[in-house]
Structures are given as structure tokens and as C-alpha cells.
Amino acid sequence: MNEEIPPTIELEHAIGFAGQPNSLYLHPNGREYVYLAGACVVIMNLSDAHEQQFLRGHDDNVTCLFVSRTGRWLVSGQRGVNANVCVWRFEDRALVFRLEEHDFGVKCVTMTDDEKLLLTVGEAPDGKVVVWDMSIGHPVCFTNTAELPSPVALVQWGGKARDIKRRETECYQYCVLAGNEVYYHVLNPMTGQQTVDKISTTTHVRRGTAAEFS
């Protein structure tokens, strides 16, 4: 005896937006945009509001998002006990890496323009800044920010560092904003060694919220 199959309900459209900084990106293909909603990363078509795709790899609210320069990679981080970072391949929506170095929560994620290095920042109790090799998903170096006067607010890559003759080196540069302080890092991706300099702001007191290299 054949049992009757109960009718199913098909999801036509979901509405929701995390509404936090750096949680909405226009994809470089110009046809889609990416945003956060709860524990999901949502990919939506600009010309068809009902064409949505949900990337499900987190078990708590997603707190940060990044889309790489070419649009090949999406990176998302979450809060909670399993404060993981997920690296997605946009082309086939596949979860390529699950990075598990952080505790309590992930503050921000960002990638170099050449898409070779990924940097992740943990929330204040975690205190870790981790640089990852995107070719294998392994850490390149760790920085403990627990001793900084304020929690990290922002990290910004600045491309390749230059030598005294203004020639590009193999090292990468990035800056860390924490409270009223700015820290300039130069990283050798082959050895994981880096130098850190605190940038003097003389008598001016400013709480940084954004940064960019010229």
C-alpha cells in the first residue's frame, strides 16, 4: 500500500539582514550581492529578488564577512563556542576551509588583494590575530593582542612592503587599529616573522574606525 506523500512548502524568499559593519558586499561580477542573515551567508541576484542561495556552515550568528578582490572567495566568521571562520569558493558555493583557531567570536576577516593571505581577528576575550596561507588553509603567524590598551577595532592590508629604494619586497604590510593606537606590521610570509611599529600620533588623540594605504 502506497502512503500518500504530504504536500511540501517551497521557500520562495527570505527577508533578513544582520545590519552590522562590513556585512553587505556587491560581488565583482556585478550581478549578485552577498550579505549576512543570522547564521547564514546569503547570495542574492540583483535582477531577481527570489533567486537566493544560503551558505550554511555556522552554528551561531555570523559576525563578519569579506569578499575577495576577484570575487573568487567569500570568508565569514561567527561568534559563540565554535568561533570558526569559513572560507567559501564562490563559483560552486563550496566550503573549502574551516579555520578553528579563535574562541568566543571573530571580530573581522580580510584578505590580501592577491588572495594569497587571509587575516582573522578574534573578539576581545580571544585576543588573537592570525594570518593564514590561502593555498593550504594553515596559519602563517599568530599575534596576541591581549596586552594592547584597547581591543582591535580594524585590520587593513596594504599590499607589499617596499624597501628603502621604494621597490616591492616579498613581505606584506598591514595595520592594526586598537583604541587610539595604530600599529604597523611587516610580515614575511615564508618564515612567519614580522616586525611591529607603533605609529606616533604626537599630541593628537584619535580613535580610528577606518584605514587605507595610499
Side-chain angles (χ1 to χ4, degrees), residues 94-106:
L95 177 59
V96 179
F97 299 125
R98 181 183 295 278
L99 311 177
E100 303 179 343
E101 282 296 333
H102 294 290
D103 301 306
F104 305 107
V106 181

Side-chain angles (χ1 to χ4, degrees), residues 133-150:
D133 184 339
M134 280 295 295
S135 65
I136 55 176
H138 288 179
V140 174
C141 71
F142 298 84
T143 302
N144 190 335
T145 64
E147 297 181 357
L148 295 182
S150 300

Side-chain angles (χ1 to χ4, degrees), residues 93-171:
R93 289 20 175 190
L95 177 59
V96 179
F97 299 125
R98 181 183 295 278
L99 311 177
E100 303 179 343
E101 282 296 333
H102 294 290
D103 301 306
F104 305 107
V106 181
K107 175 74 173 181
C108 63
V109 291
T110 184
M111 193 179 296
T112 54
D113 284 348
D114 61 11
E115 302 179 350
K116 292 183 178 180
L117 297 176
L118 169 68
L119 193 152
T120 62
V121 181
E123 290 284 2
D126 177 73
K128 285 184 288 189
V129 176
V130 187
V131 178
W132 306 82
D133 184 339
M134 280 295 295
S135 65
I136 55 176
H138 288 179
V140 174
C141 71
F142 298 84
T143 302
N144 190 335
T145 64
E147 297 181 357
L148 295 182
S150 300
V152 174
L154 178 77
V155 176
Q156 178 66 43
W157 285 108
K160 294 291 186 69
R162 296 178 182 272
D163 61 20
I164 194 171
K165 295 184 177 180
R166 305 298 297 164
R167 297 172 299 192
E168 280 194 356
T169 66
E170 293 303 312
C171 295

